[in-house]
Amino acid sequence: SQPQLGELTASHITPDSIQLEWSIPKGTFDSFTVQYKDAQGQPQVLPVDGGSCTVTVPGLSPSRRYKFNLYGVWGRKRLGPISTDAVTVILLCTAAPDPAQEELPSQPQLGELTASHISPDSVQLEWSIPEGTFDSFTVQYKDAQGQLQVLPVDGGSRTVTVPGLSPSRRYKFNLYGVWGQKRFGPISTDAITEDSFTLASTPCIAAPAPVMEEWPSQPRLGELIASHISPDSIQLEWSIPEGTFDSFTVQYKDAQGQSQVLPMDGGSRKVTVP
């Protein structure tokens, strides 16, 4: 039977993020999409997998009212929306003293941010948390066009790969930690992406034959098919006939002709493009 959307509520509101929660009184959805307009009035779409009932919307502006619409995707149908309004916290707002403050968990701390696994179009970031735990993180950087980009990361992660970068370009990455109503940081690091011709111009040196036999075989991509097509989403599935990949990226151009990049872990074999 057709699933139903319940209520959408906003909580954990900070100057630049809002956590949304929703109920599903009946059935299950394949995926969800959250739609809202940013401070510049541009529509934004945040995809969420069908098993989730909560998501943190990052990159918001302080002291601003936002309207969030949540849609549920079920097969070829899009149901909804259910909506809620929320106003982000004023940046200079401080919480009133809490008599039970001594009993609260200790404030977490951000350690160091480092960049590794640098390629012509991606950089892997790693960070340490010497004390406590964060609810979530956000990575902020400017793309090749100077536009601010925000990458949300869950609180249990200590690494993330930033895709869709340009070759031979210096990037500055800022990492913020979100804990309750507070945002900590940033901690920062710079990285320069590799030249896209580096691999082609590097002489190939063959390893000794006995060692090569022990190397894992190079993985191969199989077929890519599209299914579960709706007016605003498509599910992609692909096969890997041999070997394993570290990760995947789906690239496409949106209705405005802008290039979009969707990163996935190497264990995935399907994704819904909202």
Side-chain angles (χ1 to χ4, degrees), residues 87-119:
V87 179
T88 47
V89 176
I90 298 174
L91 192 60
L92 300 179
C93 178
T94 56
D98 187 351
Q101 196 168 9
E102 298 83 2
E103 301 175 9
L104 294 175
S106 61
Q107 181 171 294
Q109 293 181 4
L110 291 168
E112 293 186 355
L113 179 66
T114 58
S116 61
H117 295 82
I118 300 171
S119 73

Side-chain angles (χ1 to χ4, degrees), residues 9-163:
T9 58
S11 61
H12 294 85
I13 300 172
T14 73
D16 66 346
S17 68
I18 291 177
Q19 182 174 301
L20 300 177
E21 299 180 14
W22 57 94
S23 59
I24 306 298
K26 180 181 178 183
T28 57
F29 286 90
D30 299 326
S31 63
F32 302 97
T33 56
V34 175
Q35 296 187 6
Y36 64 99
K37 289 186 178 181
D38 61 19
Q40 288 73 43
Q42 297 298 313
Q44 301 292 327
V45 178
L46 194 62
V48 186
D49 66 81
S52 298
C53 285
T54 179
V55 69
T56 297
V57 183
L60 306 180
S61 296
S63 190
R64 185 177 182 87
R65 178 177 293 277
Y66 290 87
K67 180 178 181 180
F68 299 97
N69 293 321
L70 178 85
Y71 295 87
V73 178
W74 179 63
R76 295 176 179 269
K77 294 184 178 180
R78 186 177 76 161
L79 306 180
I82 52 175
S83 304
T84 189
D85 287 16
V87 179
T88 47
V89 176
I90 298 174
L91 192 60
L92 300 179
C93 178
T94 56
D98 187 351
Q101 196 168 9
E102 298 83 2
E103 301 175 9
L104 294 175
S106 61
Q107 181 171 294
Q109 293 181 4
L110 291 168
E112 293 186 355
L113 179 66
T114 58
S116 61
H117 295 82
I118 300 171
S119 73
D121 65 350
S122 68
V123 171
Q124 181 174 300
L125 301 177
E126 299 180 16
W127 57 94
S128 59
I129 306 298
E131 183 178 339
T133 57
F134 286 92
D135 299 326
S136 63
F137 303 97
T138 56
V139 174
Q140 295 187 7
Y141 64 99
K142 289 187 177 181
D143 61 19
Q145 288 73 42
Q147 298 297 312
L148 181 66
Q149 301 293 326
V150 179
L151 194 62
V153 186
D154 67 82
S157 297
R158 296 294 180 269
T159 179
V160 70
T161 297
V162 183

Side-chain angles (χ1 to χ4, degrees), residues 196-266:
S196 58
F197 299 104
T198 299
L199 296 178
S201 61
T202 303
C204 180
I205 302 175
V211 178
M212 288 183 66
E213 294 173 0
E214 300 175 7
W215 290 359
S217 60
Q218 180 173 299
R220 291 192 297 119
L221 291 168
E223 293 185 353
L224 177 67
I225 57 174
S227 62
H228 294 83
I229 301 171
S230 73
D232 66 346
S233 68
I234 293 178
Q235 181 173 295
L236 301 178
E237 298 183 22
W238 58 93
S239 60
I240 306 298
E242 183 179 341
T244 57
F245 286 91
D246 299 328
S247 62
F248 302 98
T249 56
V250 173
Q251 296 186 5
Y252 64 98
K253 289 188 176 181
D254 61 20
Q256 288 73 42
Q258 298 297 313
S259 179
Q260 301 293 329
V261 179
L262 197 61
M264 285 153 292
D265 64 81

